[in-house]
Amino acid sequence: MKTANYNIRLDPAIKAKAEETYAEFGLNLSEAINVFLHMSIKQAGFPFDVRNPQPKTETILAMQEADQIIEDYINGTRTPHTFTSAREMFSAMDAEDKAEGDDV
């Protein structure tokens, strides 16, 4: 079979990890790239889902809450709690959840 050469630039760390990964399948990097290209042709596009993952609403709300807590500490409207044990911390968290009406 006739072959064509194609040069690509890779981050050395990524290249090493990819070589290690594909070696577990008995493939070198060139063979793995050929598999990728064959599957791309067969699928008429990427052979896997390519998208920008969007966080769930719950995750977005948690990140916003964390940002607000940090801002409150910076502004001095919230003071940090100190605990002498993990049990004490979890008890305080449970009490806070109950006060907010969350299920414990």
Side-chain angles (χ1 to χ4, degrees):
M1 176 171 82
K2 202 172 191 181
T3 62
N5 290 328
Y6 187 80
N7 294 320
I8 60 173
R9 290 181 179 87
L10 299 171
D11 177 297
I14 296 295
K15 180 180 181 277
K17 288 179 183 176
E19 288 173 329
E20 184 179 312
T21 299
Y22 294 123
E24 293 178 15
F25 294 98
L27 301 172
N28 63 36
L29 194 53
S30 180
E31 293 165 330
I33 291 170
N34 273 299
V35 169
F36 170 79
L37 294 175
H38 281 280
M39 291 305 297
S40 295
I41 292 165
K42 186 176 181 178
Q43 299 290 325
F46 282 99
F48 46 80
D49 195 19
V50 178
R51 68 172 93 180
N52 184 9
Q54 298 297 312
K56 295 179 180 179
T57 302
E58 181 180 17
T59 303
I60 292 170
L61 292 172
M63 291 187 305
Q64 290 171 343
E65 181 181 6
D67 288 341
Q68 184 61 55
I69 290 168
I70 292 167
E71 189 67 30
D72 290 347
Y73 282 126
I74 291 170
N75 293 335
T77 57
R78 183 186 289 242
T79 56
H81 298 284
T82 56
F83 304 99
T84 58
S85 69
R87 178 171 285 137
E88 183 182 344
M89 178 190 69
F90 286 119
S91 293
M93 290 170 63
D94 288 342
E96 187 177 303
D97 286 344
K98 285 180 184 175
E100 292 176 357
D102 294 340
D103 291 336
V104 179

